[in-house]
Amino acid sequence: MDARAALAFFLPDQPVVSIEPLGQGNVNDTWRVTLAGGGRLVLQRLHPHVFPDVAAVMANVRLVTAHLARAAASGLAFFRLVAAPDGRDHCIDAAGCCWRLLTHIDGTRTLASLVTPAQAEAVGDLLGAFHLLTADLDPDLLADPLPDFHVTPRYLAHYDAICRKHSRTNDKRETFCREIVATLRPTATFLENARGQLSRRVIHGDPKAANFLFAAETDRAVSLIDFDTVKPGLVLHDLGDCLRSCCNRVGEHGADPEAIVFDPDMFQALMSGYLRRAAHLLVPADRELLVVAAALISFELGLRFFTDHLEGDRYFKVSRHGDNLHRALVQFHLNRSICWQRGDLERRLAGLLP
Ligand code: GN1
Ligand code: MG
């Protein structure tokens, strides 16, 4: 099925003016659809290998979007699912791919990476709002479409299995990655070992910079998108992922991985936005392990990119072989930058806490 055929399923009688690729997602395919009346919608095809349990993903998206619909009054607007005339909100094509249609949030823009502390503060504020708005949603009502997602030791076990299958090359960058993984291996269990003391809740799962929508003309963050990874998890999975993404001003594809810096001013701004709204959601162990979580999620994502590179780019989209190796280097250098600055970051965080 192609995008036009999928649209005909959802909107059988609506003339479509254009269908253009949208965003830079690493996994799914997304298009912006413009209808004859000028209305816009977002069409998506889920990656069948990454999301084998489509029913679980769709059940979560349905539950969370309905829950967030109450947020309209708070000045935030979240997308909704658009159903076909027969009421179905997704369809599976002959190749086994899932298609769905979403409302478009007009008057907004995305940023592949953040550049100003004001943007980071707005993101922290919105992530806090998302956690508050979903605080009364029992995490156990959600399905778990990706059971090992953010369980770092599982990614490490998979990496080990892949290394056993593939012989080593002499590529210096691959050697660097292997050494980093060997060095960081003991840190992989840090969050898993502390699970009992950490807040478990509904998480977004992927609150990277590009998943926040900003108002077209200002640095106000007005929406959070991409709910495929919404699931029960740790608040530190979300904060760690948001920090590793938003405090890296050159983004995940930064030209020179060795020059990647985790920006402490962006960290302070993001956390001040989050804490102003949602400080009471964090327990003492969440606060103690926050900087560790940012370092760990950087390591984890680097490990995921590097493993996918070794496996032949089966999970993350690439334009050429080597893209995942480059992305892995960026995350490993980011981890180093966080570790070098840990004392300063923890002092800054302590200064923000009530
Ligand atoms: C993937 O597909 P996208 O771009 O929303 C990945 C995230 C990573 C992110 C890094 C389901 O997200 O975990 O943090 O790339 N999503 C999945 O850009 O694995
Ligand atoms: Mg995502």
Side-chain angles (χ1 to χ4, degrees), residues 11-307:
L11 307 170
D13 304 317
Q14 292 251 23
V16 171
V17 174
S18 66
I19 305 175
E20 322 142 69
L22 180 63
Q24 308 282 325
N26 287 331
V27 170
N28 296 332
D29 296 309
T30 306
W31 296 267
R32 180 188 281 130
V33 177
T34 306
L35 303 174
R40 289 171 153 194
L41 293 163
V42 173
L43 179 70
Q44 284 193 307
R45 177 174 57 197
L46 272 70
H47 190 309
H49 168 59
V50 172
F51 294 109
D53 190 353
V54 163
V57 173
M58 291 305 296
N60 284 354
V61 174
R62 226 172 272 137
L63 187 67
V64 170
T65 50
H67 197 80
L68 290 173
R70 299 177 311 162
S74 61
L76 302 173
F78 296 96
F79 73 82
R80 301 294 310 261
L81 290 162
V82 178
D86 66 3
R88 280 185 287 169
D89 58 16
H90 65 288
C91 73
I92 312 284
D93 68 17
C97 293
C98 172
W99 294 80
R100 65 182 175 204
L101 194 61
L102 318 173
T103 55
H104 182 272
I105 314 284
D106 293 333
T108 58
R109 65 195 165 113
T110 52
L111 301 168
S113 53
L114 307 188
V115 281
T116 68
Q119 291 165 351
E121 190 172 341
V123 158
D125 178 75
L126 183 44
L127 184 61
F130 176 84
H131 286 162
L132 282 181
L133 288 166
T134 51
D136 59 346
L137 189 56
D138 177 357
D140 292 321
L141 289 177
L142 292 173
D144 193 345
L146 300 166
D148 294 336
F149 198 62
H150 289 318
V151 179
T152 315
R154 300 287 186 137
Y155 294 109
L156 202 50
H158 180 57
Y159 164 79
D160 288 338
I162 296 302
C163 286
R164 281 194 292 273
K165 274 204 236 162
H166 296 264
S167 49
R168 294 181 179 209
T169 65
N170 290 327
D171 185 317
K172 282 200 185 103
R173 296 179 309 159
E174 289 186 14
T175 305
F176 174 83
C177 287
R178 287 181 208 276
E179 286 170 4
I180 284 276
V181 175
T183 307
L184 295 178
R185 180 176 287 274
T187 70
T189 51
F190 279 1
L191 288 187
E192 288 305 305
N193 288 347
R195 248 183 204 269
Q197 287 87 57
L198 299 171
S199 304
R200 181 175 176 271
R201 50 165 307 104
V202 174
I203 60 161
H204 179 277
D206 187 15
K208 62 180 187 180
N211 280 339
F212 289 84
L213 301 186
F214 285 86
E217 308 287 342
T218 69
D219 278 345
R220 207 162 56 86
V222 294
S223 192
L224 185 54
I225 55 171
D226 184 4
F227 295 157
D228 297 327
T229 47
V230 165
K231 52 173 266 164
L234 300 178
V235 73
L236 288 189
H237 291 147
D238 268 358
L239 280 169
D241 193 64
C242 193
L243 288 165
R244 67 112 202 121
S245 171
C246 296
C247 303
N248 163 15
R249 292 205 227 204
V250 296
E252 285 178 17
H253 311 276
D256 178 5
E258 286 178 33
I260 297 286
V261 174
F262 183 87
D263 188 305
D265 295 330
M266 299 291 272
F267 169 81
Q268 192 167 337
L270 195 153
M271 287 312 301
S272 81
Y274 185 87
L275 293 170
R276 204 174 311 123
R277 210 180 263 261
H280 62 285
L281 294 181
L282 303 186
V283 299
D286 295 326
R287 298 165 179 207
E288 273 161 37
L289 287 182
L290 179 90
V291 175
V292 167
L296 184 61
I297 302 288
S298 310
F299 166 47
E300 178 188 279
L301 184 58
L303 180 64
R304 294 173 62 199
F305 284 140
F306 183 44
T307 308

